[in-house]
Amino acid sequence: MTAEKTDLILDVLASVAETEEVRTDPDLALYDLQILDSMKTVELIVALGREIGVEVSPAEFEREAWATPRKLVEDILRRLAV
């Protein structure tokens, strides 16, 4: 189940980020490499809500928590477990 959720989260991230590299490099620096910016982050929040059913308020979003694909997946899985 967790592997399926991880794949789904990475599917959404790859779609928004427009790169498959997020699947192959779990420590890819999403913001430092400008793969994600503020607009893409909002798009990602909306897409995650639509595709996975996780609600992330921009007020509770922490950039450091989504700094890499690995951290983003961990954060979303944690939110889904609540």
Side-chain angles (χ1 to χ4, degrees), residues 2-72:
T2 302
E4 290 174 20
K5 291 270 191 212
T6 296
D7 288 344
L8 187 53
I9 294 165
L10 290 174
D11 286 347
V12 174
L13 176 59
S15 174
V16 171
E18 300 175 350
T19 179
E20 292 296 313
E21 195 175 359
V22 299
R23 297 177 196 277
T24 58
D25 185 355
D27 296 313
L28 188 66
L30 298 173
Y31 291 97
D32 292 346
L33 297 173
Q34 298 179 347
I35 294 166
L36 290 181
D37 58 18
S38 58
M39 291 302 292
K40 292 261 187 208
T41 299
V42 171
E43 188 179 334
L44 182 58
I45 289 171
V46 170
L48 288 167
R50 183 180 59 243
E51 301 294 326
I52 299 173
V54 65
E55 296 301 320
V56 180
S57 163
E60 63 185 27
F61 163 76
E62 292 182 29
R63 182 175 154 158
E64 183 56 35
W66 288 12
T68 66
R70 180 189 321 270
K71 288 182 177 183
L72 185 141

